[in-house]
Amino acid sequence: MEKIEEQFANLNIVKRSSETKEPTYLLGIDTSKTVQAEKGSLVAVLCSNGSIRIYDKDRLNVLREFRGYPGLNGVKFANSCDSVYSSCSDGTVKCWDARLASEKPVQLFKGYPSNIFISFDISCNDHVICAGTEKVDDDALLVFWDARINSQDLSTTKDPLGAYSETHSDDITQVCFHPSDPNVVVSGSTDGLVNVFDITVDNEEDALVTTCNSVSSVSCIGWSGKDYKQIYCMTHDEGFCWWDLNHLDTDEPITCLNIPDVREVINVKEGILDYLIGGLYHEKTDKLFVVGGTNTGIIHIMSCTTSGLVHVTRLQGGHAATVRSFCWNMQDDSLLTGGEDAQLLLWKPGAVEKTLTKTDSMKIASSVYQRVRVHSNDSYKRRKKQ
């Protein structure tokens, strides 16, 4: 098998999204887990104007758009169907059917009074939704719902199963279920704590498996390693932490890597790193990669080892401004990226772009960037960095 590092280095743009009527920052990307041969794969993109766009992955054209929901945070497909979820500052998690043109959510998961949701995830078997709140009156909650559709109860609104309230002392910025164990979830907060829970346990105190401390405001968390027994974390000041839960019951230290500011230690070969975007665990090779970028749109991919981060490659000629989101597809080794230049790009190893010349598309991207600056304050991450 071709070395994964060479595969990343060989990524080229195969498609760019067509320009939309209202250019926006592209803040989050997810792809449908179900692929119907005749329909192809769907892509959901969270936009800074409070909408979610559904794209055809092969052509990158907009199929439909769910508009008019300011305060959305995150976008995620269900694992077994084409339902799309997003949490909202109005105290709900909303669910749309990506195949339907109706802008109205097919289900609403209502929180408790005064909840402002800023993060969420759905378990790998689609049974449970968990959402994190901003801190209100000294409370920062993890709220849970039963996401299953009950044939006996066809109501479109669901109330919570319950909530955790004792383990975080500030805004819960990240929620991430285990990729293969539906009963394990990890949360991250601006209080610096990353908490792992077993939700089969009755009370919150006993459900808390372990707490890791990033010593900074958490911006991104994810799972990695064989059987997904490791957790990685990025912070709002571009720090990176990596913990191994296999060491919980041993004398080995749980911390594999702790870098307070990646920008100060990484050598990106004749370039700079301005920010981190997220992590990418490559299952086939059991390797963790960290993705970052520059304010001019260059994407940097770094491999993660216990001795530090090593620069692998840069992807350039695509975006003209800060890259805010990406989604890696393990099946076809493709990468989707979205940025503040309003562009959604599809990258594949060895691909050749068949549309505009690079110069023309960069000019378009640059002009779009000038027009969408009005949305710059809509992102939670940006607010936290100021």
Side-chain angles (χ1 to χ4, degrees), residues 333-362:
D333 297 320
S334 66
L335 179 71
L336 284 161
T337 57
E340 293 186 1
D341 55 4
Q343 288 197 104
L344 178 66
L345 304 183
L346 176 63
W347 310 70
K348 288 187 178 180
V352 177
E353 191 174 357
K354 299 182 179 67
T355 51
L356 300 169
T357 66
K358 187 184 291 183
T359 311
D360 288 342
S361 51
M362 289 292 280

Side-chain angles (χ1 to χ4, degrees), residues 138-250:
D138 293 328
D139 286 326
L141 305 182
L142 283 169
V143 182
F144 296 87
W145 297 265
D146 184 342
R148 291 171 294 183
I149 295 173
N150 185 345
S151 57
Q152 308 301 314
D153 176 16
L154 298 176
S155 67
T156 56
T157 303
K158 285 200 173 188
D159 293 322
L161 293 170
Y164 293 163
S165 61
E166 305 295 327
T167 37
H168 284 296
S169 60
D170 212 336
D171 301 351
I172 299 174
T173 54
Q174 288 283 297
V175 176
C176 187
F177 273 96
H178 191 278
S180 57
D181 186 342
N183 298 318
V184 175
V185 66
V186 61
S187 59
S189 165
T190 53
D191 63 12
L193 300 184
V194 174
N195 291 326
V196 182
F197 298 95
D198 176 354
I199 62 173
T200 60
V201 180
D202 281 343
N203 66 77
E204 179 178 354
E205 186 179 352
D206 294 336
L208 182 62
V209 176
T210 191
T211 295
C212 307
N213 195 345
S214 72
V215 201
S216 187
S217 174
V218 173
S219 64
C220 173
I221 51 177
W223 296 88
S224 66
K226 193 171 183 300
D227 298 326
Y228 292 98
K229 290 289 180 66
Q230 298 172 341
I231 295 168
Y232 62 84
C233 157
M234 282 118 202
T235 64
H236 283 113
D237 48 10
E238 318 310 339
F240 177 78
C241 300
W242 188 23
W243 299 287
D244 193 336
L245 303 186
N246 287 302
H247 297 166
L248 279 178
D249 300 320
T250 72

